[in-house]
Amino acid sequence: MKKYLELFLTFAKVGVMTFGGGYAMLPILQREVVEDKHWATDEELTDYFAIGQCTPGIIAVNTATFIGQKLYGVLGGIAATIGVVFPSVIIITVLAGLITSFSHLAAVQHAMGAVRVCVCVLILNAVIKIGKTSLVDAVAVFIFLAVLCVSFFTPVSPVICVIAAAVIGILVRNLGGAS
């Protein structure tokens, strides 16, 4: 029971400290899961983020579920998932009433604008950290640049980009003889 409580509390801590959604949560998850708890490596966490992005649902919830399940099976996945979601449910319930009542105030509008800017920085930080562990060779850099261009300049679905990247990675590694 203690291990499930530790999972719940760790992911609740991540959930309560995160503003701006799943991507903003990535650096906090990395610090807690990789650096502090040693529950996963940077590479494993990057894989969880990638899988969490490709599967239905919220990336942070998916990642928490993967980590909890890896550590302690189905009950671990449930404990981690409830932990990461619990603070948001409480906070959003309280804020929903407050925001709708005070959203017309200039101070609230300015505060929300500043929070959006902060979230952009947190997401950029996550991108840089993931990039350091993912962009390890010329093939990875090529795939990154190709997907970046396609996503910026075309209306192609992210799902297509993910599938195409996976196929290219498999083909290049298998045909090129790389490990």
Side-chain angles (χ1 to χ4, degrees):
M1 191 63 173
K2 183 179 177 185
K3 61 187 179 184
Y4 299 117
L5 181 61
E6 181 182 20
L7 262 176
F8 173 85
L9 292 175
T10 298
F11 281 98
K13 178 180 171 184
V14 169
V16 80
M17 294 188 317
T18 303
F19 294 88
Y23 292 113
M25 190 178 284
L26 300 182
I28 299 167
L29 270 171
Q30 193 274 340
R31 184 179 60 243
E32 288 295 320
V33 171
V34 175
E35 294 173 15
D36 293 350
K37 301 289 184 181
H38 306 288
W39 287 340
T41 65
D42 277 322
E43 291 76 19
E44 287 174 323
L45 191 59
T46 300
D47 290 344
Y48 295 146
F49 292 157
I51 295 167
Q53 181 64 37
C54 299
T55 53
I58 302 164
I59 188 172
V61 173
N62 294 347
T63 302
T65 305
F66 292 141
I67 293 167
Q69 194 278 331
K70 172 197 169 204
L71 292 173
Y72 305 121
V74 173
L75 290 178
I78 292 169
T81 301
I82 292 171
V84 80
V85 171
F86 183 74
S88 297
V89 170
I90 300 302
I91 292 168
I92 199 67
T93 301
V94 171
L95 286 179
L98 294 175
I99 293 291
T100 55
S101 298
F102 298 104
S103 64
H104 65 282
L105 298 175
V108 172
Q109 293 171 359
H110 294 308
M112 294 308 294
V115 168
R116 284 191 297 271
V117 171
C118 179
V119 167
C120 289
V121 173
L122 294 173
I123 292 170
L124 179 61
N125 185 28
V127 168
I128 291 168
K129 285 186 177 191
I130 292 170
K132 286 179 181 178
T133 60
S134 300
L135 301 175
V136 295
D137 59 18
V139 173
V141 171
F142 169 78
I143 292 170
F144 170 81
L145 293 173
V147 171
L148 183 69
C149 289
V150 168
S151 67
F152 276 165
F153 302 115
T154 72
V156 172
S157 166
V159 173
I160 301 299
C161 291
V162 170
I163 292 169
V167 169
I168 291 169
I170 290 168
L171 290 174
V172 168
R173 298 296 182 213
N174 288 332
L175 296 176
S179 58

